[in-house]
Amino acid sequence: MEPVNPASPLEQALHAARALVLADLVAGGVAHADVVSLVEDSVAERRWWVQQWPDGVAYVAGLIAQDVQDALLERYGRWPVCPVCGSGDPHALDVEPELGPDPHWVCHKAGVKVASVGSLGSATGGTTSS
């Protein structure tokens, strides 16, 4: 295992991705210790993934958001619940692009971009810390 260099572009990207996903979890009121552990697990897995495919560094924020969303679905249910659609069955937002830079949360039902990953607080009226 390679030593971790906190100043490397990889570590900077992972820390930024962690912060974005945590901001969305805080905005949704679900940033409990066990959920934060899911973020840490994903960051560790994605560190290995990007070490194998360095060109994927721009994609880690969206991938970590999807990893956490999948883990939460298995344990707790849908997250983040769509703030746009006020009627009908509650549904989760999706991350787009699935593998690409500048990930954002979208509602496929309404066909709208809701917020960039890390900015759910502004879309849901929640608070985010700076």
Side-chain angles (χ1 to χ4, degrees):
M1 187 167 141
E2 294 181 29
V4 173
N5 174 359
S8 74
L10 166 60
E11 288 305 312
Q12 290 175 8
L14 289 169
H15 287 294
R18 175 191 290 115
L20 292 172
V21 174
L22 287 173
D24 286 345
L25 290 166
V26 168
V30 293
H32 309 292
D34 57 336
V35 176
V36 172
S37 293
L38 298 174
V39 176
E40 297 305 324
D41 292 346
S42 175
V43 168
E45 290 175 26
R46 293 303 174 175
R47 177 179 291 115
W48 177 87
W49 182 83
V50 176
Q51 288 170 341
Q52 307 310 305
W53 188 48
D55 290 343
V57 72
Y59 309 151
V60 294
L63 291 169
I64 291 171
Q66 291 175 63
D67 291 346
V68 171
Q69 184 179 38
D70 291 346
L72 282 171
L73 180 61
E74 290 175 13
R75 297 180 187 195
Y76 303 105
R78 294 181 202 97
W79 176 84
V81 175
C82 179
V84 176
C85 298
S87 61
D89 290 332
H91 55 277
L93 299 174
D94 294 312
V95 174
E96 283 195 358
E98 286 187 25
L99 185 62
D102 187 31
H104 46 275
W105 296 106
V106 298
C107 171
H108 285 288
K109 196 170 189 178
V112 296
K113 176 180 172 179
V114 176
S116 295
V117 168
S119 299
L120 269 180
S122 62
T124 61
T127 57
T128 57
S129 58
S130 52

